[in-house]
Amino acid sequence: MFKPVTADFFDMPTLDLSRNLLGQLLVHELPEGIVAGRIVETEAYMGAEDRAAHSFGNRRTKRTEIMFGKSGLVYTYQMHTHTLINVVSGPVDTPRAILIRAVEPVEGIDLMADLRGRHLPIKQWTSGPGKLTKAMGISMDYYGHHFTERPLYIAEGDPVHAVSVGPRVGIGNSQEAVHYPYRFWEQDNPYVSKFR
């Protein structure tokens, strides 16, 4: 039903890729069934020169090592109790990544309800980076996986016609980087995170 994009999809400048990920499908083939969400919000992190990036100043640690790899790799990390998922971008040894901040559920709604909690309204299932990984059963185990490979991959979706651009969320200690317009979202989509 869904087919992974090819590796060359990821071969473009990070800000362009961050925008072009909007409308594509994040797909996870679980033993219980397939869950898929249309990507509606992303944030770009521009590596060595970006104070908000984990790899600022070319910081190379066990956590950031995958950011120095090829485009399209999965960079997962944990914040509090949440797993967050990123798309590695930029040439090898240029440690950039794009956080997937929100998706709109399109497949596996019942399974998402079980994973996220049926007591919550559907708009709250995937409207944030920690929420969407819970709803889609995505764990830290995918660190270093590639988004062209099953069972977790990006598939071609529908284009986004109206894109909004603004500063990123939750990076208040990042000096001038707080103001960089590196966040992209589909205008008026109800699944975009609550920060507008």
Side-chain angles (χ1 to χ4, degrees):
M1 182 177 185
F2 299 108
K3 182 181 173 187
V5 296
T6 55
D8 60 359
F9 171 82
F10 301 100
D11 292 339
M12 65 181 79
T14 302
L15 294 176
D16 293 343
L17 181 58
S18 194
R19 182 186 288 262
N20 287 342
L21 281 167
L22 297 178
Q24 308 306 326
L25 299 171
L26 179 63
V27 182
H28 194 193
E29 297 179 355
L30 292 160
E32 308 92 312
I34 295 176
V35 289
R38 185 170 168 271
I39 299 170
V40 296
E41 183 180 7
T42 61
E43 284 181 342
Y45 289 86
M46 298 297 287
E49 68 272 20
D50 182 353
R51 285 185 183 275
H54 294 160
S55 55
F56 174 64
N58 275 326
R59 191 179 308 127
R60 203 161 189 156
T61 66
K62 188 176 178 185
R63 178 168 85 162
T64 65
E65 184 62 32
I66 202 66
M67 295 177 75
F68 290 83
K70 61 185 178 181
S71 293
L73 287 168
V74 176
Y75 171 39
T76 49
Y77 65 91
Q78 287 195 295
M79 181 174 282
H80 310 300
T81 60
H82 304 292
T83 297
L84 277 62
I85 190 163
N86 299 258
V87 180
V88 171
S89 175
V92 171
D93 290 327
T94 305
R96 297 176 174 171
I98 297 158
L99 175 66
I100 300 176
R101 275 199 63 87
V103 301
E104 177 180 347
V106 295
E107 177 80 16
I109 304 297
D110 277 351
L111 185 48
M112 283 192 192
D114 290 340
L115 290 165
R116 189 70 179 94
R118 290 187 177 272
H119 62 287
L120 293 170
I122 190 171
K123 286 183 185 175
Q124 289 183 24
W125 293 356
T126 57
S127 58
K131 295 176 182 181
L132 74 90
T133 54
K134 282 190 177 75
M136 298 188 70
I138 297 168
S139 69
M140 287 292 294
D141 294 344
Y142 283 105
Y143 181 96
H145 176 82
H146 200 278
F147 276 113
T148 58
E149 298 169 2
R150 291 179 162 89
L152 178 69
Y153 55 93
I154 289 170
E156 189 174 340
D158 296 321
V160 172
H161 299 293
V163 175
S164 294
V165 181
R168 295 167 295 187
V169 175
I171 56 165
N173 59 347
S174 303
Q175 299 179 26
E176 73 280 356
V178 170
H179 306 292
Y180 296 164
Y182 291 170
R183 179 169 159 254
F184 303 87
W185 67 96
E186 183 175 30
Q187 196 173 302
D188 300 325
N189 188 293
Y191 292 92
V192 169
S193 65
K194 63 186 176 181
F195 302 96
R196 297 295 162 115

